[in-house]
Amino acid sequence: MSTLLRARRILTATDDLHDGWLAVDDAGTVIGSGSGTPPRTETAVTIEGTVLPGAVDLHAHGALGHDFATASVDGAARAAGHHHARGTTSLVASVATGPVPETIAALRRLSGLVTAGTLAGLHLEGPWLSPARRGAHRADLLHAPDPAELDAFLTAADGALRIVTLAPELPGATDAVRHLVDAGVVVAIGHTDASADEVRAAIDEGAALVTHLFNGMPPLHHRRPGPVGVALTDDRVLVECIVDGHHLDPSTVELVQRAAPDRLVLVSDAMAATGCGDGERVIAGSAVSVRDGVALLADGSSLAGSTITVQDGARRLLDGGTPLPAVVAATSTRPARVLGLPAPLTVGAPADVVVIDEAPGTAVSSHGAQSAPWRVLDLRTIPAVAR
């Protein structure tokens, strides 16, 4: 059995198809795509709107009051479900700094959700971060990488650990980068006070990602370029950006798009209050206050994650005039590549499909999420969602 999706426009990792079609087998895998006259299939459905791949979020701490570092398995699944219903079809759960035994327990607890396919992997953000650029991470829990601790984390995650953020200037960081890369883990540079030379040295050892560029690092200086200067000029690294209107000014986002147009990756950095109202929370051991959807440390000294999903950031880019293919690359294609996933919506890839109305500012209702501008297509119920 196979299903044929037709739409006036379909975007994949490689093609922008007008009068497009996508053929999907009964296992939910893409088996073909093209424009114009499609092949015959058992079921053919015309979709109103533009079809594109679901987002891949490399950096999210939770939602609906659940923090991945402390949530139960059920709570973590609920948090992941919130992101999925809003167009993020692959989610990496970020575990922020905590006491080492609690971090080990979290990695063990969440690894089963990776095996089940609820999560696309785990991301360890801390404890190997710079106290000078700690953001919401508790200073007393931060320290240099320890080889035994590193192995304990890898063992606890049982293959589910996909990304580790660390500060490359810390003692032992170079060895840690090498060890993690050899273990198949993506090393991200973040929460760092490193010099440009220290950042380049980590990249030489295999670091391939920069965690939420501009945030958790010194600002760009014309004589001391630091992490930002290297990130914007070294083609070996992809750069995360949180496009929520608070972490980065729109002009800064444009700077990244101009300097590194083929390396931008949108992430949410969503914390537990995502999907909730304003109130008091705890993240990475620090008290956080959420007001008007903005998460700040209780003392107001730092932002503490966001309350968005990746597709909220994508909508901001679209509203600002970024072409849809560039948005798809930043939300789906590049982050999928980081995780070693198939190129989205190409032959052999899962048919993780969302539908949007491309007009800026226009919301398209989704299942149970009336304010979301993205509809997630569940191929098992496709006759009910097609028009």
Side-chain angles (χ1 to χ4, degrees):
M1 294 289 290
S2 58
T3 298
L4 186 78
L5 306 183
R6 298 203 66 178
R8 61 182 179 84
R9 189 180 188 190
I10 298 175
L11 285 98
T12 74
T14 56
D15 296 301
D16 186 353
L17 305 170
H18 294 262
D19 185 22
W21 56 268
L22 196 71
V24 181
D25 68 15
D26 59 358
T29 302
V30 176
I31 57 175
S33 63
S35 296
T37 303
R40 291 175 177 267
T41 57
E42 289 81 359
T43 304
V45 181
T46 299
I47 304 298
E48 182 180 307
T50 298
V51 171
L52 63 156
V56 179
D57 192 351
L58 301 178
H59 190 156
H61 292 276
L64 302 180
H66 303 289
D67 187 318
F68 288 127
T70 57
S72 65
V73 172
D74 182 64
R78 290 176 183 272
H82 175 84
H83 288 272
H84 184 272
R86 285 148 185 82
T88 298
T89 52
S90 296
L91 182 75
V92 175
S94 298
V95 177
T97 303
V100 170
E102 293 183 13
T103 298
I104 288 173
L107 294 172
R108 287 175 176 158
R109 190 168 58 246
L110 296 170
S111 64
L113 290 177
V114 178
T115 302
T118 304
L119 298 172
L122 306 180
H123 165 217
L124 193 60
E125 188 180 19
W128 309 322
L129 311 176
S130 167
R133 301 292 174 181
R134 66 185 180 88
H137 297 258
R138 256 178 62 185
D140 63 304
L141 296 176
L142 303 179
H143 53 267
D146 174 82
E149 189 175 272
L150 189 157
D151 285 333
F153 289 154
L154 288 170
T155 299
D158 192 24
L161 186 60
R162 307 305 303 276
I163 303 170
V164 170
T165 295
L166 56 73
E169 73 273 20
L170 296 177
T174 300
D175 289 339
V177 172
R178 190 180 303 117
H179 187 45
L180 287 164
V181 171
D182 287 346
V185 177
V186 175
V187 174
I189 296 166
H191 288 284
T192 174
D193 210 30
S195 68
D197 286 343
E198 289 167 327
V199 174
R200 291 191 190 98
I203 297 171
D204 289 342
E205 295 296 337
L209 186 65
V210 176
T211 295
H212 46 51
L213 183 63
F214 290 98
N215 293 276
M217 59 192 65
L220 179 65
H221 188 281
H222 57 287
R223 287 192 296 271
R224 295 182 298 278
V228 173
V230 175
L232 292 176
T233 57
D234 195 318
D235 290 339
R236 294 176 293 174
V237 290
L238 297 179
V239 292
E240 294 181 0
C241 285
I242 308 167
V243 183
D244 63 349
H246 307 295
H247 280 79
L248 299 173
D249 183 88
S251 294
T252 305
V253 177
E254 184 177 355
L255 170 64
V256 178
Q257 290 178 302
R258 290 181 179 227
D262 298 322
R263 296 188 289 114
L264 171 65
V265 172
L266 260 59
V267 297
S268 68
D269 197 15
M271 48 89 74
T274 302
C276 304
D278 291 349
E280 310 309 310
R281 304 283 173 183
V282 175
I283 184 170
S286 299
V288 174
S289 180
V290 181
R291 295 288 179 270
D292 297 324
V294 180
L296 291 166
L297 288 182
D299 63 7
S301 63
S302 174
L303 288 165
S306 84
T307 59
I308 66 166
T309 66
V310 167
Q311 302 291 29
D312 294 323
R315 177 56 68 185
R316 283 183 173 272
L317 289 186
L318 287 174
D319 288 350
T322 301
L324 188 56
V327 173
V328 169
T331 59
S332 301
T333 306
R334 291 186 200 113
R337 189 167 69 240
V338 169
L339 297 177
L341 300 176
L345 297 191
T346 61
V347 173
D352 292 334
V353 171
V354 299
V355 181
I356 65 166
D357 181 332
E358 207 176 317
T362 302
V364 178
S365 63
S366 78
H367 307 304
Q370 295 304 313
S371 63
W374 316 84
R375 272 186 291 141
V376 181
L377 282 190
D378 183 344
L379 296 179
R380 294 168 298 180
T381 60
I382 197 167
V385 299
R387 301 185 187 136

